[in-house]
Amino acid sequence: MGKGGDKLFQKRRAKTKEDLARRKAILAERRRVLIVCEGEKTEPLYLKALASNLGLTALDTEICGDCDSAPINVVQYGKKKLKSDSEFDMIFFVFDRDTHDSYKAALSLIEELQSHKKFKNKTIIPITSIPCFEIWFLLHFEPHNKPYTASSGKSPCGKLISALKAKVEFKDYAKGSHQYFDLLSNRLPQAKINSANTLRQSLQAGELEHHGNSTTLMHILVEELEKLAEEQKR
């Protein structure tokens, strides 16, 4: 190779190094999000469709539904993920209150993670729903903070799902059968408003951690993902 060829090769190699350095810098700036859901497919399917609609990729957002429905197992699974991959900036734990015995223990474990010095630079948030995730679907149609209790062989979540099935769009609803985001996407802005308002009303009524009336923190997760998507576009 002559001198001209050498110079061209060196320029190309330098440019390749610059491109790689630039790509690494861009990736380093991207915030990474971990979302750990209950084992049912409903939540992961919905959230994956939401993330895709926002233009978020696996580089930005990892959504796991590989643990069973016990809240404590959701948090313990996420804790293991954090230990194996410390590069996540935000971690969300998505689980229901319903009749789960480990609900309060799961919240306590999240508080431990939040206060752990190893995770001091991370945002760790429980995204809980009372009685269950399906309240988020119902809030796409109307404000709804009715309390549900177990009776007639149905859990609080079972009762709420019966109310959801009264909507034409959900008359054949079954957990994990569909991702439902496309069906509801045009109602998302109203769902966020309804969700925030019902939560505020419950807290004003003195309900600690929204344990009473039907509420959810899903609007917080959706808004954080929307912010992340906007960041990645800039």
Side-chain angles (χ1 to χ4, degrees), residues 33-104:
V33 174
L34 173 65
I35 304 174
V36 187
C37 308
E38 292 186 6
E40 294 285 357
K41 293 181 180 179
T42 305
E43 294 90 328
L45 285 173
Y46 174 87
L47 289 168
K48 286 177 181 178
L50 169 64
S52 177
N53 180 266
L54 292 173
L56 296 171
T57 69
L59 284 174
D60 311 304
T61 308
E62 182 174 343
I63 300 169
C64 305
D66 302 324
C67 42
D68 67 25
S69 61
I72 193 64
N73 290 343
V74 172
V75 182
Q76 287 174 340
Y77 183 91
K79 184 179 178 180
K80 289 179 182 177
K81 288 285 292 183
L82 270 177
K83 285 184 176 180
S84 63
D85 185 346
S86 61
E87 298 303 313
F88 291 107
D89 301 291
M90 304 184 75
I91 304 92
F92 297 94
F93 295 101
V94 182
F95 55 90
D96 302 339
R97 175 67 181 93
D98 203 20
T99 56
H100 292 302
D101 293 333
S102 65
Y103 180 77
K104 289 184 178 180

Side-chain angles (χ1 to χ4, degrees), residues 148-167:
Y148 289 90
T149 56
S151 65
S152 304
K154 282 189 176 182
S155 69
C157 184
K159 289 291 196 65
L160 185 140
I161 288 175
S162 293
L164 180 64
K165 284 184 174 182
K167 304 297 179 186

